[in-house]
Amino acid sequence: VHNKNILVTWYPGIQNNYMLYEIDRMASGSNWQNNYATTRNLSIVDSEVEVNKINYIYRINVSDKCGNISASSNIGTSILLEAVVLNDTRVLTWNRYSKWKSGVASYHLQIVQNDGSYKDMAILSSSDTTYFDSLAHADLEIPSCYLVYAVENPDSAGNIDSSYSNITCINLPSRLYIPNAFSPNGDNKNDIFIPSGLSIYNNSGNKI
């Protein structure tokens, strides 16, 4: 949510006299934080997260008015999208989503457009966790920012869920190309002196 919080939702339990939903959380590489949060609702927004550094795992328990605690739900995992530049290629990687009962159908990689909307760049298989973007994106007047989301296989009732990653931005190294000669003789070959650039931005962050 807004590239800083995580929204976790779940289906209601079957208990008739439930009191609270108890949420356990685990940051990747750490231990479970049992009873991390409680609510009577079917969702929470977790603001105590670093969505651009860590992926988080959640599970839900139900407590009733007699103090009994249910078995845990399946787990839900946030998706952490990371990017590096390698030989003028943006290399995007993310962790697999876990664990929808019917599994992941596909991952959709999106890039942010000039107007702030998102455009699908690629639809990838459920086994993919890496994408190599070698395009210059000269049509964009903003830094290259990406998002990936997982799409669930339909469950037995035909329901399809989705899970969105953080947004990560990365630019190719800036450089200028300046010709050392040109030949303005009207033969349509190198007639115009044209310096060009790649990933050049002004102080406000807008592309030149």
Side-chain angles (χ1 to χ4, degrees):
V1 181
H2 305 305
N3 205 36
K4 64 179 182 179
N5 301 326
I6 295 177
L7 170 66
V8 186
T9 66
W10 55 90
Y11 295 107
I14 62 173
Q15 292 86 346
N16 293 323
N17 63 339
Y18 88 95
M19 188 70 175
L20 288 171
Y21 291 102
E22 299 181 358
I23 298 92
D24 299 336
R25 188 187 81 168
M26 179 168 61
S28 179
S30 301
N31 297 319
W32 281 105
Q33 295 174 270
N34 294 318
N35 207 12
Y36 170 74
T38 59
T39 182
R40 290 185 60 84
N41 301 318
L42 294 176
S43 66
I44 63 163
V45 174
D46 189 0
S47 60
E48 300 297 321
V49 290
E50 296 182 277
V51 297
N52 291 294
K53 294 181 179 180
I54 303 171
N55 69 286
Y56 296 85
I57 303 170
Y58 298 87
R59 65 189 180 194
I60 312 298
N61 306 294
V62 184
S63 63
D64 64 20
K65 294 178 181 178
C66 297
N68 300 306
I69 305 296
S70 73
S72 297
S73 68
N74 62 304
I75 65 171
T77 307
S78 68
I79 299 175
L80 174 62
L81 177 62
E82 298 179 291
V84 296
V85 172
L86 180 64
N87 298 327
D88 278 350
T89 296
R90 301 171 186 87
V91 183
L92 303 161
T93 58
W94 58 93
N95 60 288
R96 288 189 175 91
Y97 182 82
S98 302
K99 290 182 177 181
W100 284 316
K101 186 176 181 179
S102 54
V104 173
S106 58
Y107 291 102
H108 293 235
L109 181 67
Q110 297 186 318
I111 189 167
V112 181
Q113 302 297 287
N114 291 326
D115 62 0
S117 63
Y118 296 87
K119 176 184 177 182
D120 271 359
M121 286 186 58
I123 299 177
L124 308 166
S125 75
S126 60
S127 61
D128 286 328
T129 56
T130 303
Y131 185 84
F132 296 87
D133 181 15
S134 58
L135 299 177
H137 299 297
D139 56 321
L140 296 181
E141 298 173 353
I142 57 176
S144 300
C145 295
Y146 303 86
L147 176 150
V148 68
Y149 66 94
V151 177
E152 181 188 24
N153 282 309
D155 63 17
S156 58
N159 298 314
I160 297 175
D161 207 348
S162 58
S163 180
Y164 288 75
S165 76
N166 59 306
I167 299 167
T168 188
C169 301
I170 190 166
N171 295 319
L172 297 178
S174 300
R175 83 280 312 263
L176 285 170
Y177 300 96
I178 302 177
N180 59 10
F182 73 116
S183 57
N185 57 5
D187 65 355
N188 294 320
K189 295 181 180 179
N190 301 316
D191 284 338
I192 302 174
F193 181 77
I194 305 179
S196 62
L198 178 66
S199 293
I200 307 298
Y201 295 84
N202 63 23
N203 287 338
S204 66
N206 295 317
K207 185 178 286 188
I208 301 174

